[in-house]
Amino acid sequence: MATDIPADGYSSKRTAEIVGVTYRQLDYWTRTGLVKPTLGAATGSGSRRRYDYRNLLELRAVKTLLDAGIRLEHVREVFSYLSEHLDEDVTQVNLVISGTRSVAVRSGDEIIDLLRQGQGVLNILPLAGVKEDLDSKIIDLYPEDHLAAPETGPAVAEG
Amino acid sequence: MATDIPADGYSSKRTAEIVGVTYRQLDYWTRTGLVKPTLGAATGSGSRRRYDYRNLLELRAVKTLLDAGIRLEHVREVFSYLSEHLDEDVTQVNLVISGTRSVAVRSGDEIIDLLRQGQGVLNILPLAGVKEDLDSKIIDLYPEDHLAAPETGPAVAEG
DNA sequence: GATCGAAGTCACAGTGGTGTAGTTCCGTTG
DNA sequence: CAACGGAACTACACCACTGTGACTTCGATC
């Protein structure tokens, strides 16, 4: 099964399409260190970046936060935390951002608890939605590639 | 009792101090229409703006959202809604921002419901905290003025 | 009507990009 | 194997937004 998943990931252009940002924006984010293309960073003009499925998940979460009106600077702060926790069962977790603190929260009750102590604003990002959006976008754009999906998602790269 | 509350409100400088922003920032927000000093807009160099207690509440909410990393542009969108609902018992309400939509939500259960349908990010601002912070800041900075507080808050202006 | 505090104005800085024009790598062709 | 062509990274200039600091100008008050 594992050999069904090409290991060469996604190109910048394709990643941008899937995530729903411009190439220039993805380039900017990558150059400024917001994301690191797991399967290969750029080494100069003509080299190619390679993003994996997890990168896509991260990028989609970033875009969702930006669309919600959160400043990129703030997303950056939050993001080191988020990227460590995308491994957990993403569909069961809500990301809660309280000021500069972030936590992964599993149940609604926990969120209510946080609300009670709540200083400032809670930003709640249901990660299940992020994954859903991402997967359907991949299938949408490249249905023919979507033949052997691993548990982590479609994750089928271009070939 | 009503006569105990000076009707001339708060000057720009004082408002900035209480809300916890620079004078220049408050000036910028006011010039660009984010807030309108209820008790008197500027009519040219040398004129004086006058903010009332409700303005302070609005401004404090704005600052809280900004501190939470939300873009001013987004705060502007949300704000027309918020300013209409600051009348309700502020200490009982949470402001929930979902995308560009805003709602006032009373109980935690309602928030959980919103989370379930949740597209994108929920930004939750407990307004009780906003009022508390504001009031204690007023008393902090100007204890001698705090003699006749109306139900809406300290609301005692300079004189 | 002088003084002084606050509003106005202008220029500039940092963030978060975007458009365009190279530049380089890499696979293909001759 | 060398030249070619295209994809995609890079560099540079430029934009809007969100301020800030410095200086000017005006209105209220004494």
Side-chain angles (χ1 to χ4, degrees):
Chain A
M1 274 295 268
T3 49
D4 290 349
I5 308 156
D8 58 345
Y10 304 83
S11 70
S12 283
K13 197 180 187 190
R14 202 156 187 184
T15 299
E17 281 169 15
I18 292 169
V19 174
V21 297
T22 62
Y23 170 76
R24 302 299 290 105
Q25 196 167 9
L26 175 60
D27 178 41
Y28 176 71
W29 290 356
T30 306
R31 275 186 296 108
T32 54
L34 177 59
V35 273
K36 298 192 192 309
T38 310
L39 301 177
T43 56
S45 287
S47 65
R48 278 112 205 260
R49 301 189 181 110
R50 284 274 140 185
Y51 300 88
D52 66 4
Y53 179 75
R54 228 187 89 147
N55 290 146
L56 299 191
L57 219 46
E58 292 168 357
L59 287 164
R60 188 73 184 198
V62 168
K63 178 172 164 46
T64 306
L65 291 169
L66 286 186
D67 288 348
I70 295 172
R71 277 176 302 192
L72 185 61
E73 197 188 348
H74 200 64
V75 175
R76 282 181 209 274
E77 284 170 30
V78 156
F79 202 70
S80 54
Y81 175 87
L82 176 60
S83 58
E84 284 167 26
H85 287 258
L86 278 176
D87 284 333
E88 308 185 31
D89 184 0
V90 149
T91 60
Q92 296 296 305
V93 173
N94 297 302
L95 175 72
V96 177
I97 307 165
S98 176
T100 50
R101 278 218 150 61
S102 307
V103 268
V105 169
R106 223 152 295 271
S107 83
D109 297 335
E110 291 176 72
I111 289 170
I112 296 302
D113 289 347
L114 282 168
L115 248 184
R116 266 186 252 287
Q117 327 155 19
Q119 308 300 338
V121 181
L122 289 187
N123 305 287
I124 304 179
L125 172 63
L127 293 177
V130 172
K131 179 166 151 49
E132 250 172 61
D133 286 0
L134 175 62
D135 290 356
S136 69
K137 193 72 174 261
I138 291 175
I139 295 167
D140 234 54
L141 289 175
Y142 312 103
E144 71 286 354
D145 287 350
H146 184 56
L147 302 167
E151 263 133 73
T152 48
V156 178
E158 63 208 303
Chain B
M1 274 298 267
T3 50
D4 290 351
I5 308 156
D8 58 345
Y10 304 83
S11 69
S12 284
K13 197 181 186 190
R14 203 157 186 184
T15 299
E17 282 170 14
I18 293 170
V19 174
V21 299
T22 62
Y23 168 77
R24 303 301 290 110
Q25 196 167 8
L26 176 61
D27 178 41
Y28 175 71
W29 290 356
T30 307
R31 277 186 294 107
T32 55
L34 178 59
V35 275
K36 299 191 192 309
T38 309
L39 301 177
T43 55
S45 289
S47 64
R48 277 112 204 260
R49 302 188 182 113
R50 283 274 141 184
Y51 301 88
D52 68 3
Y53 180 73
R54 229 186 89 146
N55 290 147
L56 299 191
L57 219 45
E58 293 167 357
L59 287 163
R60 189 70 184 200
V62 168
K63 178 172 162 49
T64 307
L65 290 170
L66 285 186
D67 287 349
I70 294 173
R71 279 179 307 214
L72 186 59
E73 195 189 348
H74 199 65
V75 174
R76 281 183 210 275
E77 284 170 31
V78 156
F79 202 69
S80 54
Y81 176 88
L82 176 59
S83 59
E84 284 166 27
H85 288 259
L86 277 176
D87 284 333
E88 308 184 32
D89 183 1
V90 148
T91 60
Q92 295 296 304
V93 173
N94 297 303
L95 175 71
V96 177
I97 306 165
S98 176
T100 50
R101 277 215 150 63
S102 306
V103 267
V105 170
R106 221 152 297 269
S107 82
D109 297 334
E110 292 177 71
I111 289 169
I112 295 304
D113 288 346
L114 282 168
L115 247 185
R116 265 186 254 286
Q117 326 154 18
Q119 307 299 340
V121 182
L122 290 186
N123 305 287
I124 303 178
L125 172 64
L127 293 177
V130 172
K131 179 166 150 49
E132 250 172 62
D133 287 0
L134 175 62
D135 290 355
S136 69
K137 192 74 172 263
I138 291 174
I139 294 166
D140 234 55
L141 288 175
Y142 311 104
E144 72 286 354
D145 286 350
H146 184 57
L147 303 167
E151 261 132 71
T152 47
V156 178
E158 63 208 305

